[in-house]
Amino acid sequence: MLKRHPIVVEAHFDFVLVLTYAFPKELLEPLLSPGLELDTYGDLAFVAVAVVQTRRMKPKGSPSFLGQDYLLIGYRIFVRYTTLEGRHLRGLQILRSDTDSHSMAAVGNLLTHYHFNSAAMKYAYGEQKLTLSSQAFDGKSELIVTASLDADDNYLPEGSPFTSVRDALKFAGPMPFTFDYERETNSIVRVEGVRQNWQPKPVAVDVGKITFFQQLPFSQAEPVLCSSFFLQNIPYYWKAGIVEKLPPAGTQ
């Protein structure tokens, strides 16, 4: 019951860097939780790698001294979900989350299905460049990336399958919804994020290392960097999770 994101949480995002990678949809389909479908563009499906510097994260409405600062990295699949009422939602299925705080990892795993892991992280953030390195203590993810923040507004990485930044923005997480599967009750837990000042800007990135994609099934294909966006100064909060029990297998 606790892992259903039971409380409303607020934070301020100093910055968000989102890298979106394309894979053949057949490669990602086995990773999907029951009740979810891939959100595709042609024959491609996508994984978002989001780096977020949060400030003053705390239960919404609680005293400011309870707020804590964390650096977070999330690995998510772009998915679609149809609610019991027939609403069609786009969002992300959580694969893994890394954080620079052991306490955040412990509390996050107690209250959510976000699969938190602790990591050694450091970054430098200036007007024209962001550099970041992260190495998880379990050895399953290492990320080294430099973002040039002065790219043209129409910039897309070479080889991107998107024909325009407008198309790329449709697959630029974080998305409003995140989903995960609760096996014990055959239910989907969805969490909605509410954001302000959401103005993604294309940036050029040099990804020195991203070892998460060296694992199966990702290692069976060459990940294609489709887009890279940067945002800053974002008020944000997550609503309490909503749990929907799925129909028994074979009755959908």
Side-chain angles (χ1 to χ4, degrees):
M1 295 291 291
L2 279 178
K3 294 176 75 67
R4 295 174 169 180
H5 204 290
I7 60 176
V8 181
V9 176
E10 63 182 351
H12 184 274
F13 294 172
D14 283 359
F15 65 80
V16 180
L17 175 66
V18 186
L19 314 177
T20 299
Y21 285 87
F23 291 89
K25 63 183 181 181
E26 296 81 6
L27 199 72
L28 300 186
E29 280 175 343
L31 298 177
L32 289 180
S33 295
L36 301 180
E37 299 179 358
L38 288 174
D39 196 358
T40 58
Y41 184 86
D43 292 330
L44 297 174
F46 303 92
V47 177
V49 182
V51 180
V52 185
Q53 175 61 63
T54 69
R55 298 288 180 191
R56 303 183 297 278
M57 183 182 288
K58 62 185 180 65
K60 188 173 175 61
S62 63
S64 58
F65 68 83
L66 293 178
Q68 301 292 318
D69 303 340
Y70 307 109
L71 187 60
L72 308 173
I73 301 176
Y75 299 85
R76 316 281 193 256
I77 300 176
F78 286 84
V79 296
R80 293 180 179 267
Y81 172 67
T82 302
T83 70
L84 296 181
E85 295 80 20
R87 293 177 62 201
H88 300 287
L89 306 178
R90 299 180 68 229
L92 299 165
Q93 175 184 317
I94 298 107
L95 297 175
R96 178 187 175 93
S97 302
D98 290 340
T99 176
D100 63 348
S101 167
H102 292 288
S103 62
M104 177 64 204
V107 173
N109 287 329
L110 178 67
L111 298 178
T112 75
H113 290 82
Y114 283 19
H115 311 299
F116 279 101
N117 298 270
S118 298
M121 300 182 180
K122 60 182 180 180
Y123 74 91
Y125 172 32
E127 290 186 4
Q128 295 186 334
K129 187 168 70 172
L130 168 69
T131 60
L132 173 131
S133 65
S134 172
Q135 186 164 13
F137 296 125
D138 67 359
K140 294 183 178 180
S141 65
E142 182 178 2
L143 177 64
I144 300 174
V145 60
T146 299
S148 299
L149 308 181
D150 55 355
D152 183 88
D153 288 344
N154 295 314
Y155 173 80
L156 286 173
E158 184 177 355
S160 172
F162 298 123
T163 58
S164 68
V165 169
R166 182 177 180 178
D167 282 349
L169 282 169
K170 297 175 184 177
F171 294 89
M175 301 288 282
F177 293 95
T178 55
F179 307 100
D180 201 18
Y181 179 63
E182 188 175 81
R183 187 180 304 276
E184 296 84 351
T185 63
N186 188 36
S187 301
I188 287 290
V189 180
R190 76 173 186 264
V191 178
E192 182 177 0
V194 181
R195 59 207 188 187
Q196 300 177 38
N197 194 33
W198 197 257
Q199 299 175 343
K201 180 187 183 307
V203 294
V205 296
D206 177 14
V207 181
K209 188 174 289 188
I210 183 165
T211 62
F212 184 74
F213 292 147
Q214 295 175 6
Q215 306 169 64
L216 291 172
F218 309 106
S219 60
Q220 295 176 319
E222 184 69 27
V224 177
L225 180 63
C226 298
S227 65
S228 42
F229 289 99
F230 182 79
L231 308 93
Q232 57 186 338
N233 190 28
I234 303 158
Y236 201 98
Y237 74 90
W238 295 266
K239 296 181 179 181
I242 294 176
V243 181
E244 287 193 345
K245 189 172 180 62
L246 297 174
T251 64
Q252 286 92 335

